[in-house]
C-alpha cells in the first residue's frame, strides 16, 4: 500500500511537470498595488517552462465594449442567482472579453489587473475569474503573475481549482488565520451568493461557503527555489462585513510562523484536500 501511494505521488508530480512546460500565462496589465507581485518572466521560464505573455488592459476593455460571452452551464447558473441582471451582464461581458483574448493569444492561464476595471468600465473581473477557474483555466486577480504561476502549478498537481486569497487576520495562539478575497472558483463552494466587490461597493463578487475539512495552503516563488505547503483545517466560512466577500478561517497545523516571518508575497492559494506530499515532491 505504501509503495502504491508513493508511486501515485511520483506519477502525479511527473504529469504536472510535463503539463506546465510550454504553458502560456497571459498577464493582462501589470500587478496592481502593494500586495500583488510580479514574476520574473525569464527566471520562471527557465525554472518551469512556463511563459508569461504581457498583454494590454486596453485590449480587454476594447473586447468588453464589443459585448458577448459564451453561454454555458456556469453563465446560466450565475444569471439565475437572483442578483441585479444588469450588473451580472456587465460582469459576464468581462468573462467574454477574457475568453476571446485567451483564444486569440493561445493562453492556458490568465491574470487581470482587475482594480483598474473599476474606473474604466465600472465593473469587476470577479465573475470572469470565478468561471474560468471552474472551467480548469487558472485565473488570478490583480495582475499577480507570481500567484498565477503558483495557481497553475497547484492545478497541475491536484487537478482542482484553488482560492487565491489574502491572509487578513491571524492568531498565533490558536494558530488560526482568516483568508479572504472577492472571487472564488464557483465549482469550489457548496453554495454561494452574489454581492458587490468589497473595496469599491460596485460590480459583482462571489461570497461562498466551502465544505469544512482538510485544505492545503500553497505559494511558490518565480525561480521555484522556495515554496510553502501547509496543511490546514477549514473551520468556518464567516461572513464579516469588514473583509472581502469569501472568507475562510483556517487552523494552520504547522503554526503561523511562516506567515509572521517572511511569507512569499501576500496572496496564497487554498485547495481542498491534503496535497503537501505531492507539492513537496514537485519541488525536490
Amino acid at each position: 500500500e505504501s509503495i502504491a501511494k508513493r508511486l501515485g505521488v511520483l506519477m502525479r508530480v511527473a504529469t504536472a511537470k510535463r503539463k506546465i512546460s510550454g504553458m502560456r500565462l497571459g498577464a493582462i496589465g501589470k500587478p496592481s498595488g502593494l500586495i500583488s507581485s510580479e514574476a520574473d518572466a525569464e527566471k520562471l521560464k527557465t525554472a518551469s517552462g512556463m511563459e508569461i505573455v504581457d498583454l494590454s488592459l486596453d485590449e480587454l476593455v476594447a473586447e468588453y465594449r464589443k459585448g458577448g460571452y459564451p453561454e454555458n452551464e456556469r453563465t446560466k447558473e450565475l444569471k439565475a442567482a437572483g442578483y441585479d441582471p444588469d450588473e451580472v451582464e456587465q460582469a459576464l461581458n468581462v468573462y467574454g472579453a477574457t475568453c476571446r483574448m485567451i483564444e486569440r493569444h493561445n493562453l492556458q492561464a490568465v491574470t487581470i489587473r482587475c482594480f483598474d476595471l473599476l474606473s474604466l468600465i465600472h465593473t469587476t473581473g470577479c465573475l470572469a475569474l470565478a468561471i474560468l477557474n471552474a472551467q480548469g483555466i487558472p485565473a488570478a486577480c490583480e495582475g499577480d503573475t507570481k500567484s498565477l504561476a503558483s495557481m497553475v502549478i497547484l492545478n497541475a498537481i491536484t487537478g482542482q481549482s484553488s482560492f487565491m486569497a489574502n491572509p487578513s487576520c491571524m492568531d498565533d495562539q490558536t494558530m488560526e488565520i482568516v483568508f479572504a478575497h472577492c472571487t472564488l472558483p464557483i465549482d469550489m463552494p457548496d453554495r454561494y451568493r452574489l454581492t458587490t466587490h468589497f473595496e469599491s461597493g460596485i460590480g459583482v463578487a462571489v461570497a461562498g461557503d466551502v465544505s469544512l475539512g482538510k485544505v492545503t495552503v500553497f505559494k511558490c516563488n518565480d525561480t521555484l527555489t522556495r515554496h510553502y505547503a501547509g496543511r490546514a483545517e477549514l473551520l468556518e466560512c464567516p461572513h464579516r462585513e469588514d473583509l472581502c466577500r469569501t472568507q475562510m478561517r483556517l487552523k494552520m497545523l504547522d503554526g503561523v510562523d511562516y506567515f509572521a516571518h517572511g511569507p512569499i508575497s501576500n496572496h496564497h492559494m487554498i485547495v481542498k484536500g491534503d496535497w503537501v506530499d505531492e507539492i513537496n515532491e514537485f519541488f525536490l
Side-chain angles (χ1 to χ4, degrees):
E1 186 177 339
S2 63
I3 292 171
K5 182 180 178 182
R6 176 69 178 150
L7 287 173
V9 169
L10 293 173
M11 185 65 184
R12 188 175 284 273
V13 167
T15 301
K17 289 186 175 183
R18 285 196 300 269
K19 180 178 180 179
I20 68 171
S21 182
M23 285 183 67
R24 288 167 56 83
L25 281 53
I28 304 176
K30 292 291 185 180
S32 57
L34 296 174
I35 61 173
S36 294
S37 52
E38 185 172 8
D40 184 303
E42 287 302 318
K43 290 179 179 177
L44 181 66
K45 188 170 184 178
T46 299
S48 68
M50 293 187 284
E51 178 183 359
I52 294 176
V53 181
D54 288 318
L55 299 167
S56 167
L57 199 61
D58 291 340
E59 182 180 351
L60 181 69
V61 171
E63 284 297 331
Y64 167 83
R65 298 199 190 284
K66 293 177 185 176
Y69 50 86
E71 286 279 10
N72 54 47
E73 176 189 347
R74 299 300 184 185
T75 60
K76 291 174 184 176
E77 177 183 320
L78 288 161
K79 286 194 287 187
Y83 196 67
D84 185 315
D86 292 334
E87 291 288 352
V88 172
E89 193 72 10
Q90 279 186 272
L92 290 178
N93 280 327
V94 178
Y95 165 63
T98 309
C99 287
R100 292 190 291 275
M101 288 185 68
I102 287 170
E103 184 175 2
R104 178 182 303 134
H105 298 285
N106 187 27
L107 306 176
Q108 287 78 52
V110 68
T111 181
I112 302 172
R113 184 183 164 108
C114 44
F115 271 94
D116 282 14
L117 298 181
L118 299 172
S119 57
L120 291 171
I121 55 177
H122 207 67
T123 190
T124 67
C126 302
L127 284 198
L129 304 178
I131 301 170
L132 290 168
N133 274 309
Q135 292 177 323
I137 300 172
C141 313
E142 299 175 45
D144 191 330
T145 46
K146 195 175 288 184
S147 288
L148 181 60
S150 297
M151 189 179 279
V152 168
I153 290 170
L154 192 56
N155 175 262
I157 293 171
T158 68
Q160 294 184 40
S161 56
S162 59
F163 176 42
M164 172 182 170
N166 303 310
S168 298
C169 47
M170 180 170 72
D171 186 328
D172 60 354
Q173 299 301 309
T174 62
M175 301 191 302
E176 293 179 10
I177 301 178
V178 175
F179 289 85
H181 232 210
C182 279
T183 188
L184 178 75
I186 54 174
D187 64 335
M188 198 171 180
D190 297 329
R191 57 191 174 275
Y192 66 85
R193 65 182 178 87
L194 302 182
T195 182
T196 60
H197 178 251
F198 169 59
E199 289 89 346
S200 65
I202 67 172
V204 188
V206 181
D209 291 288
V210 178
S211 296
L212 307 186
K214 293 179 180 179
V215 297
T216 302
V217 182
F218 169 67
K219 188 68 177 287
C220 67
N221 65 3
D222 49 10
T223 59
L224 307 195
T225 55
R226 183 177 174 226
H227 77 282
Y228 171 79
R231 292 183 173 92
E233 192 79 17
L234 174 56
L235 302 177
E236 178 192 12
C237 288
H239 293 282
R240 289 172 45 175
E241 293 297 323
D242 61 340
L243 290 175
C244 290
R245 303 311 191 185
T246 290
Q247 303 159 24
M248 294 185 185
R249 181 166 66 91
L250 305 186
K251 185 177 183 65
M252 305 302 303
L253 301 186
D254 60 352
V256 298
D257 282 355
Y258 158 81
F259 292 95
H261 304 290
I264 304 168
S265 305
N266 182 73
H267 295 120
H268 283 68
M269 314 307 126
I270 301 171
V271 68
K272 291 181 178 180
D274 182 347
W275 297 95
V276 170
D277 290 346
E278 288 84 351
I279 292 169
N280 288 340
E281 183 67 37
F282 182 95
F283 288 92
L284 286 180

